[in-house]
Amino acid sequence: MAPMAATAFAAVAVTALAAATATAGAPARGLGGDASSTARMIADLTDSKVITLTDDCGGDCQASVADALTARGCSRVAVLPTLRMVTAACAKTDGASAEAVNAEAARIPGVLQVEDDSLVTGTKVDEEDREGDLPIPIVDGAGKPYFWGLDRINQYALPLDKDRQTQCFASKGDGVEVFVVDSGCAVNHPEFAGVNIKSLALESSPFDPAGIDDRGHGSHVAGTVAGKRTGVAPGAAVTCVKVLNENGSGKSSDVAAGFEYVAAYKAANPGAKVIMQASLGGSGDHHNTGMRRMAGVGVIGSVAAGNDGGDACDHTPAGSPDVITAGNCDIDDSVWRNSNVGRCVDVFAPGHKTLSVDFRGTLTTKTGTSMSSPHVAGLIALILSNHPNGASLDVQAVKALLTAGAPMITDHPLAWVSPACNGSAPAPVVPAPVPGPPKGPNPAEPIPQVPAPAPGVPAPAPTMYPGGIPPEGSTELPQMPPQ
């Protein structure tokens, strides 16, 4: 199969980005928080390869390939044994072209395909607050944060009922392990208090081992998966694997290493219920091959469809049939205008202005299929947690449970949790006609107004809460950054 054309979800002009961020003298390993980190990453792509091995290339074969690459003069040779891949930097010699170098490596016994390493990006956050957008409430009538996505996925039909509970999934995802391959996580955020969460970066990556989120994307995603109030499955354990920097960029080889980390964990723990959540996209057949091999060891992959308004099949890993690919739907059950669509989209889920964790300690809204996919990952966690054979279910079985009897968004199912707990749809309930508001979701209720102080009396200072989140029972508004 020919390598897929570069179709990164967040459109990045590599040469222009390199020129715009190029500075010198920065350390090679750090938090990734300076402007030169993407330029260094792009420079590291020179001569870097992602090599896919044959399905039957086991330990001895993999070692033989690594030895052959080293003997050829390649450096930074790293074997990804579970995914049966190798990453390496193979410099051109004697004026050889990159194609010639690839062809030379492809002749090594056990090698299936050689591809140039490339830039991978987190799915771009779509523009918000456009004229004509449907209003999205972020607080309810009592001034508490309103998570409309959680409200939508627990009922069969509109209008929204302001209930975000999933009573029949009492375990809340307990016993399930979700790996968020993204920009890391702000594990000390108040929304993660009491949640089993950790963040890390692999030794082979350019990031600090603590996996600190300097982008905010990974924290928002993890919050939707398992935040104590923002999350679909707050009982699940979350491991954030940092593969993207503060600009949302990462090397495909580092992303592949992140996928290997998840696959190797499942291979070593076959009784574990493991989900891989990835709201990122790049290019290359190796991502789809990696998803197939990851699924082969029992990992359930949840990925974002992308935000180009095109065909999800043109993107990777969204186009893989071995993961569950999520498109973005709006609060009125319409497809969000920039969501990728097509036969490779398995489900739609809320993704427009969804409220979740902000890595600076508060809450914030973001828009995109990046926000839809973690809703799906959380739902998968509920399903696996409840299912007696959750550790051995394959991707196709989980898709069937996730979509059985589901309401439809155009010609695709909406990801939801059936009150019957077994994936079957409840008997359709047709609500009695009620005069008043137009058909569709309930608009936001009025936000309580604080009376103005009497003339000459200074206004009281606002009470500050950790993370800007008032305690349960408070009627005060959450303190959130401007949208």
Side-chain angles (χ1 to χ4, degrees), residues 9-32:
F9 289 168
V12 176
V14 174
T15 54
L17 184 57
T21 59
T23 60
R29 184 174 177 82
L31 298 182

Side-chain angles (χ1 to χ4, degrees), residues 369-398:
T369 58
S370 284
M371 288 62 253
S372 305
S373 185
H375 281 88
V376 175
L379 291 172
I380 297 170
L382 297 183
I383 291 171
L384 296 186
S385 179
N386 257 34
H387 201 286
N389 300 315
S392 59
L393 294 176
D394 63 18
V395 171
Q396 300 309 319
V398 172

Side-chain angles (χ1 to χ4, degrees), residues 248-471:
S249 300
K251 290 169 57 181
S252 189
S253 53
D254 288 336
V255 173
F259 293 158
E260 166 68 22
Y261 182 85
V262 183
Y265 178 85
K266 173 63 176 178
N269 300 276
K273 302 174 180 180
V274 177
I275 299 167
M276 189 282 298
Q277 161 59 42
S279 289
L280 48 78
S283 61
D285 288 339
H286 59 273
H287 285 310
N288 287 341
T289 302
M291 295 303 98
R292 175 172 61 83
R293 292 173 175 173
M294 184 181 294
V297 298
V299 176
I300 308 301
S302 174
V303 306
N307 306 313
D308 297 307
D311 189 343
C313 296
D314 294 336
H315 300 264
T316 174
S320 169
D322 300 296
V323 294
I324 298 174
T325 299
N328 179 2
C329 70
D330 208 340
I331 198 168
D332 64 346
D333 280 4
S334 63
V335 175
W336 179 248
R337 56 179 163 253
N338 285 352
S339 176
N340 285 346
V341 293
R343 62 178 177 81
C344 291
V345 176
D346 297 297
V347 294
F348 277 89
H352 180 206
K353 290 189 181 179
T354 62
L355 185 62
S356 186
V357 168
D358 181 78
F359 73 123
R360 293 159 294 197
T362 57
L363 298 176
T364 191
T365 61
K366 291 184 184 294
T367 291
T369 58
S370 284
M371 288 62 253
S372 305
S373 185
H375 281 88
V376 175
L379 291 172
I380 297 170
L382 297 183
I383 291 171
L384 296 186
S385 179
N386 257 34
H387 201 286
N389 300 315
S392 59
L393 294 176
D394 63 18
V395 171
Q396 300 309 319
V398 172
K399 283 182 185 180
L401 290 171
L402 183 66
T403 60
M408 302 299 287
I409 303 293
T410 62
D411 55 350
H412 289 82
L414 171 74
W416 77 308
V417 285
S418 166
C421 291
N422 61 3
S424 62
V429 176
V430 180
V434 177
K439 182 179 179 181
N442 292 333
E445 298 176 24
I447 298 174
Q449 300 297 312
V450 178
V457 178
T463 303
M464 300 302 293
Y465 298 107
I469 305 171

Side-chain angles (χ1 to χ4, degrees), residues 48-49 90 97-107 111 113-116:
S48 186
K49 310 294 179 183
C90 299
S97 65
E99 291 76 13
V101 173
N102 292 356
E104 179 185 358
R107 288 192 289 270
V111 171
Q113 187 177 38
V114 181
E115 296 175 284
D116 293 333

